Amino acid sequence: MRNSIAHGWHVAARTAVLQFGATLAVSLVVVAGFGWRVGLAALAGGTIVSAGNVLFALRLFGRGIAPPRSVLRSAWAAEALKWFWLCATLYLAIAVWKLPFVGLIAGVLAAQFAFWIALIATR
């Protein structure tokens, strides 16, 4: 059955691994071309997005089997948690740690594109 919780966990895990792999690959390319600080920013950006999706999956699937209304509330709470995480950590990366913006966005885009590819591949 493709709508099971086990399938959801499997898709979430595979997506997170693909996102982090794409982030690592892009950050290594960026390090080679632009230096370690920009590469670190790319790694941070992609890791922020990957971790946000892992938090989403943990919140959504962590309760196991539940009534539909509860699952819907979990989905909304998971999305809110993910957006809070993204906003807080991107703020820290830009304003507090002062990571190079170009590298940060490169990592975010790599992780996001990997997310879309993973969702297409798991159909």
Side-chain angles (χ1 to χ4, degrees):
M1 183 173 214
R2 292 188 60 95
N3 63 352
S4 68
I5 294 171
H7 179 69
W9 276 116
H10 179 71
V11 169
R14 203 158 77 179
T15 301
V17 168
L18 184 62
Q19 281 183 303
F20 191 71
T23 297
L24 194 56
V26 166
S27 64
L28 289 174
V29 169
V30 170
V31 164
F34 299 99
W36 70 270
R37 186 150 165 78
V38 180
L40 178 66
L43 183 65
T47 302
I48 287 169
V49 172
S50 300
N53 286 325
V54 168
L55 285 173
F56 178 89
L58 287 172
R59 178 65 180 98
L60 182 62
F61 299 120
R63 296 178 60 186
I65 297 173
R69 188 172 297 219
S70 179
V71 172
L72 182 61
R73 277 192 226 119
S74 289
W76 283 103
E79 191 67 26
L81 176 64
K82 180 177 80 169
W83 275 101
F84 176 77
W85 165 261
L86 288 172
C87 291
T89 53
L90 286 174
Y91 170 79
L92 288 173
I94 294 168
V96 176
W97 300 322
K98 302 202 185 312
L99 293 175
F101 187 72
V102 173
L104 192 67
I105 292 303
V108 167
L109 289 175
Q112 191 60 43
F113 283 129
F115 175 77
W116 292 330
I117 290 168
L119 289 184
I120 291 169
T122 56
R123 288 181 132 193

